[in-house]
Amino acid sequence: MTVFDDSALDDAEALAGADAIVRRLAEAGSRVRRETADADEPIDRLRGLPRPRALVAAGTEARFLRAILEPVCPVPLVAWPHHGLPGWVGALDLVVVMASDVAPPSVVATVHEAVRRGAMLLIACPASSLVAEHAAGSSTILLPTATADPFAAAVVALAALHRMDLGPAVDPEAVAATMDDVARDCSPFADVTENPAKDLALCLADTQPLVWGGSTLAARASRRVAEALRAASGRAALAADADALLPIVEATTARDPFADPFTDEQSADRRPCLVLLDDGNSAPLVRADHGRLVAAAERADVRSSVVQHDRGSEVERYAALLQTGMFAAVYLSVGLGRTSEV
């Protein structure tokens, strides 16, 4: 079993192996600013367009868009992760696609189908990409992107949808500033005692991560964080709701305080670690689930760690939770000596 080296989290040489990943995370805010600035002109042209019959979100971050839009969107909305489009989509509908310059064939096919059916197409992608070529048409609105950052493209798309009165107001500068704050707090130069991402990595060092988010957006962030933790550690990491996680926590056997971690066979079994992503949602059911999970973890002597960000808009809070989890995944890989595999 790989042993986590906690000293690596403050070791410049060990951290250097993750420099490219950390740098990309740290520059997330600047990518949001750049994409927003580049899309200002096409977004301005959206004001006053007729309201579509329905909205289909496809491609990267489609489910994130759905989570933001569903509570307020005045028209029916669906996130479509499949090849092509639903059979009912036609000229009265809006298809929103976010894609990079290396979009998978399924996304290219979706764009091609939207153009063929005459649907209005709002697409965030590089202007010179293959998917942009397939998107060319009289009903296509291109939001040019350049950073290959799916989240930055999603923020641009949300700003465009707000201009069309289909979504909530989004302040890209505030989102970028929040991501800058997380980058500063989670910097590799910040000591482990004051760095929330390094602290989370230490909590997860020799455990099996269980990640929970109570609100719709926090749950979305939990799935993304679990994916990153799996890649960082090579271990299983589960993101699920409280009802799915509680049996796992409650079934954990009591820790033997006299066990020798180097000789006792049972100590090789990784205990779960509960990670709670808290975006400040005050809904009674969310707070009740949070309380049930914390209480169960205390009874079973299971470690738990709360990542909290309750300030700003929903998008800002989501970005903060996600970025903190991503930084923690990088530091987990550093401690496990797996930076070359992430």
Side-chain angles (χ1 to χ4, degrees), residues 246-272:
L246 274 170
I248 301 174
V249 174
E250 293 170 342
T252 304
T253 56
R255 192 192 307 269
D256 181 356
F258 303 106
D260 185 334
F262 299 102
T263 60
D264 288 8
E265 185 176 337
Q266 68 172 8
S267 67
D269 296 331
R270 294 192 184 92
R271 295 175 63 81

Side-chain angles (χ1 to χ4, degrees), residues 4-10 192 202 335:
F4 185 89
D5 180 7
D6 56 355
S7 67
L9 300 187
D10 287 323
V192 68
L202 283 174

Side-chain angles (χ1 to χ4, degrees), residues 322-333:
L322 179 61
Q323 288 295 102
T324 302
M326 292 299 183
F327 271 104
V330 174
Y331 294 133
L332 180 61
S333 72

Side-chain angles (χ1 to χ4, degrees), residues 128-156:
S128 60
S129 64
L130 175 64
V131 71
E133 293 178 15
H134 281 271
S138 59
S139 299
T140 296
I141 302 151
L142 176 66
L143 305 175
T145 62
T147 66
D149 185 331
F151 181 75
V155 172
V156 170

